């Protein structure tokens, strides 16, 4: 989705997509400045026992923008992304990332799993990917 498409998030989904009202009600309580932080969206998924993607669809149908990506890839105001390349990447983390690539990219979910596996922050994994020249794909909320 390009910047020109901003505000037309519902168009990413078929016209007959049905909004989950329970998720919508929770999302509406977490909106700040017309946006919902990534962490809040994931918390809603956890609280309701649904997949983050289902929360993401509801967010899109409500035409709400997701902010503050937990990987630092988008949603930080004028800066957009805040992730910076790591100074160095341990051989173990490098190997785990490379082993997990799908079509040369690391999925968002797998980046979180690797962070948990090594006791690192999610941002540290995205920073490692920046250093390694690897793109992260398949946002769990469907934002990218």
């Amino acid at each position: 989705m390009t910047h020109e498409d901003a505000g037309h998030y519902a168009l990413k989904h078929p016209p007959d997509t049905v909004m989950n009202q329970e998720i919508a009600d929770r999302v509406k309580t977490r909106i700040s400045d017309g946006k919902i932080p990534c962490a809040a969206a994931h918390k809603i998924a956890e609280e309701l026992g649904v997949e983050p993607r289902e929360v993401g669809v509801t967010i899109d149908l409500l035409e709400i923008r997701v902010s503050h990506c937990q990987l630092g890839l988008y949603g930080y105001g004028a800066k957009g992304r805040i992730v910076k390349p790591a100074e160095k990447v341990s051989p173990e983390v490098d190997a785990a990332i490379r082993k997990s690539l799908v079509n040369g990219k690391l999925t968002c979910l797998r980046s979180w799993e690797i962070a948990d596996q090594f006791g690192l922050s999610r941002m540290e994994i995205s920073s490692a990917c920046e250093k390694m020249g690897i793109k992260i794909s398949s946002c769990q909320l469907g934002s990218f």
Side-chain angles (χ1 to χ4, degrees):
M1 178 159 264
T2 65
H3 293 289
E4 294 81 33
D5 295 324
H8 302 286
Y9 308 115
L11 295 177
K12 296 188 320 190
H13 308 285
D16 61 344
T17 303
V18 177
M19 186 181 315
N20 179 315
Q21 195 57 52
E22 185 177 18
I23 295 172
D25 292 343
R26 293 274 180 110
V27 165
K28 290 173 186 175
T29 68
R30 307 274 174 85
I31 297 171
S32 176
D33 295 325
K35 301 172 189 162
I36 184 167
C38 171
H42 279 274
K43 184 70 173 164
I44 291 168
E46 182 183 314
E47 290 169 358
L48 296 178
V50 299
E51 292 296 318
R53 184 74 182 111
E54 191 173 347
V55 175
V57 168
T58 301
I59 290 168
D60 286 345
L61 295 175
L62 291 169
E63 297 292 350
I64 297 168
R65 186 175 219 137
V66 178
S67 67
H68 296 90
C69 166
Q70 294 178 70
L71 295 171
L73 300 176
Y74 66 89
Y76 289 88
K79 295 179 190 177
R81 59 188 291 140
I82 61 167
V83 65
K84 303 285 185 225
E87 290 198 20
K88 61 183 178 177
V89 179
S90 77
E92 298 82 13
V93 170
D94 183 292
I97 290 171
R98 290 188 192 284
K99 180 181 172 190
S100 300
L101 298 180
V102 177
N103 296 323
K105 297 179 181 180
L106 184 68
T107 67
C108 173
L109 176 60
R110 188 67 186 121
S111 72
W112 285 31
E113 292 168 347
I114 293 170
D116 290 344
Q117 176 185 346
F118 289 96
L120 299 171
S121 72
R122 293 166 182 160
M123 192 83 73
E124 286 175 298
I125 297 302
S126 59
S127 290
C129 287
E130 288 289 309
K131 171 79 172 172
M132 297 165 67
I134 293 171
K135 299 283 186 194
I136 298 177
S137 67
S138 305
C139 170
Q140 295 172 72
L141 297 171
S143 295
F144 61 87

